[in-house]
């Protein structure tokens, strides 16, 4: 077998980057849990001062800081031997509410690694792995990772992109947020539109309990309600708006869910579907964003769908054409791409 040495070296270079990223991920989770990034964001510091401030071991902390510096997640000044975070690093690692906050993504990665035995079995048997069967780090990581994107876009651009919807919500309307998880999307809308009422639905009971508590702390319990329900049987009629954030592709029967949404909408209502950004062809998604979504879809999205009835398995990279086919095939007459970001496609469907 003839080996192209240049190609082999290039591949091994990719390997070094990948194994470094994988091993570094665990240090990010620990640093986030211990508040190390938040402490570093207060200003340049030496190891001893940071250890005292964070009540951590100085020797371990030196190794952790060195790993962060080698990965470009922390700055190091050899002249002063001080470690620090740049404004950009702090925005991504230490500011929980920022649109660039990323530690939640690494909690999701933790859940994937914990699911390896179950997924090895699923790949052999073809059986599913339900969302509720994952480690809780998935639920918390998903909320922390997706919320910044919703906070940056949902009220500012996505809802205004739906024809006439912002005006309705300002006047007062009823909204169903299906697949709400911990309720971040529901709460963000409730905070922005105090004249409207919001019901969050999710089949995962523990997530609904967290959503209720979070809504109380956010001061929107008077206009929000959270209920355990499936996407094909959630209660209510004549909703002005039904929303689904990054969850339609996870459903076993997205067509059935689509038909049920249509039956719950008011005649002039709208369904907003937020999905991961994807092209319609596999080759369109062979890029860094597609790499993230296909990997997550292998362990989370596709097994979740397979675990439910029908098991359509759209996957996280379903693309606009497949989503349109599902929606229009369920009786919706109008479907369009209303907005997009580098990570999301936002669709508007109307009866």
């Amino acid at each position: 077998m003839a080996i192209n040495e240049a190609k082999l070296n290039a591949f091994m270079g990719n390997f070094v980057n990948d194994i470094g990223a994988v091993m570094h991920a665990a240090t990010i989770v620990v640093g986030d849990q211990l508040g190390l990034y938040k402490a570093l964001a207060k200003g340049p510091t030496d190891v001893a001062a940071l250890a005292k401030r964070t009540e951590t071991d100085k020797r371990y902390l030196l190794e952790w800081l060195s790993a962060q510096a080698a990965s470009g997640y922390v700055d190091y000044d050899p002249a002063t031997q001080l470690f620090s975070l740049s404004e950009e690093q702090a925005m991504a690692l230490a500011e929980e509410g920022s649109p660039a906050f990323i530690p939640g993504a690494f909690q999701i990665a933790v859940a994937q690694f914990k699911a390896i035995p179950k997924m090895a079995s699923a790949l052999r048997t073809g059986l599913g792995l339900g969302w509720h069967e994952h480690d809780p780090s998935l639920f918390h990581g998903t909320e922390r990772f997706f919320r910044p994107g919703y906070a940056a876009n949902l009220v500012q651009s996505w809802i205004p992109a739906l024809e006439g919807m912002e005006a309705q919500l300002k006047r007062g309307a009823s909204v169903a947020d299906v697949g709400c998880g911990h309720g971040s999307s529901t709460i963000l809308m409730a905070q922005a539109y105090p004249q409207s009422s919001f019901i969050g639905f999710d089949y995962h009971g523990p997530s609904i309990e967290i959503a209720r508590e979070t809504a109380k702390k956010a001061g929107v319990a008077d206009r929000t309600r959270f209920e355990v329900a499936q996407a094909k049987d959630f209660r209510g009629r004549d909703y002005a708006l039904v929303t689904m954030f990054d969850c339609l592709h996870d459903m076993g029967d997205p067509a059935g869910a689509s038909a049920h949404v249509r039956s719950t909408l008011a005649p002039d209502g709208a369904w907003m579907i937020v999905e991961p950004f994807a092209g319609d062809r596999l080759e369109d998604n062979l890029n860094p964003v597609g790499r993230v979504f296909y990997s997550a879809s292998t362990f989370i999205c596709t097994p979740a769908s397979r675990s439910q009835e029908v098991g359509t398995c759209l996957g996280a990279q379903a693309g606009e054409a497949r989503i349109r086919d599902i929606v229009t095939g369920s009786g919706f007459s109008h479907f369009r791409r209303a907005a997009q970001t580098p990570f999301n496609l936002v669709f508007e469907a109307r009866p």
Side-chain angles (χ1 to χ4, degrees), residues 27-315:
T27 73
I28 297 170
V29 174
V30 169
D32 177 53
Q33 288 181 354
L34 296 177
L36 301 181
Y37 295 116
K38 289 180 172 64
L40 271 169
K42 295 178 180 178
T45 182
D46 61 23
V47 179
L50 186 62
K52 184 176 181 180
R53 191 188 313 166
T54 57
E55 298 182 337
T56 54
D57 180 84
K58 185 170 67 174
R59 180 63 186 88
Y60 283 140
L61 191 58
L62 173 61
E63 216 68 9
W64 181 86
L65 285 164
S66 301
Q68 305 309 299
S71 295
Y73 278 52
V74 165
D75 290 338
Y76 175 66
D77 183 354
T80 62
Q81 296 187 331
L82 296 180
F83 294 90
S84 62
L85 289 180
S86 68
E87 290 185 5
E88 295 77 16
Q89 290 165 335
M91 185 179 186
L93 295 164
E95 297 175 19
E96 191 93 24
S98 87
F101 188 70
I102 60 173
F106 295 95
Q107 288 179 277
I108 296 173
V110 168
Q112 288 200 191
F113 272 88
K114 290 184 177 181
I116 287 174
K118 294 178 180 178
M119 275 311 303
S121 175
L123 278 162
R124 291 191 179 96
T125 64
L127 297 176
L129 179 64
W131 174 266
H132 61 282
E133 297 179 90
H134 282 274
D135 185 85
S137 57
L138 175 61
F139 318 139
H140 297 289
T142 297
E143 191 275 335
R144 295 180 78 209
F145 179 57
F146 282 90
R147 188 185 188 283
Y150 299 159
N153 296 289
L154 175 53
V155 174
Q156 292 85 341
S157 58
W158 293 350
I159 287 177
L162 307 179
E163 187 176 349
M165 187 53 61
E166 186 173 41
Q168 282 195 61
L169 295 179
K170 287 181 176 179
R171 289 194 303 267
S174 59
V175 179
D177 187 12
V178 181
C180 67
H182 286 186
S184 290
S185 51
T186 323
I187 292 166
L188 286 167
M189 290 187 289
Q191 289 172 325
Y193 306 107
Q195 301 304 314
S196 293
S197 60
F198 301 84
I199 307 178
F201 297 102
D202 200 287
Y203 93 96
H204 188 237
S207 290
I208 288 296
E209 290 298 323
I210 290 174
R212 288 169 179 161
E213 289 302 313
T214 306
K216 289 179 184 177
K217 293 176 182 177
V220 296
D222 62 321
R223 53 189 178 275
T224 59
R225 192 164 78 250
F226 294 93
E227 298 181 4
V228 175
Q230 304 277 350
K232 295 200 302 184
D233 64 12
F234 65 89
R235 298 190 304 115
R237 286 290 184 275
D238 294 323
Y239 289 112
L241 176 65
V242 173
T243 59
M244 287 188 184
F245 293 89
D246 292 292
C247 64
L248 182 64
H249 65 272
D250 295 309
M251 296 176 187
D253 185 11
S258 179
H260 184 64
V261 169
R262 192 185 185 286
S263 74
T264 67
L265 279 175
D268 62 344
W271 180 19
M272 181 169 70
I273 309 160
V274 179
E275 281 286 298
F277 191 97
D280 291 326
R281 303 175 302 171
L282 171 61
E283 56 266 35
D284 297 332
N285 304 318
L286 301 181
N287 53 56
V289 173
R291 181 192 193 196
V292 172
F293 285 140
Y294 276 129
S295 297
S297 189
T298 303
F299 268 64
I300 302 167
C301 311
T302 306
S305 179
R306 178 62 64 81
S307 73
Q308 304 165 50
E309 61 178 353
V310 182
T312 300
C313 297
L314 284 174

Side-chain angles (χ1 to χ4, degrees), residues 317-342:
Q317 294 288 267
E320 183 171 350
R322 293 186 72 192
I323 300 297
R324 179 189 292 109
D325 288 345
I326 291 287
V327 173
T328 57
S330 302
F332 283 86
S333 62
H334 177 78
F335 178 92
R336 72 180 181 96
R337 185 188 300 195
Q340 67 183 62
T341 73

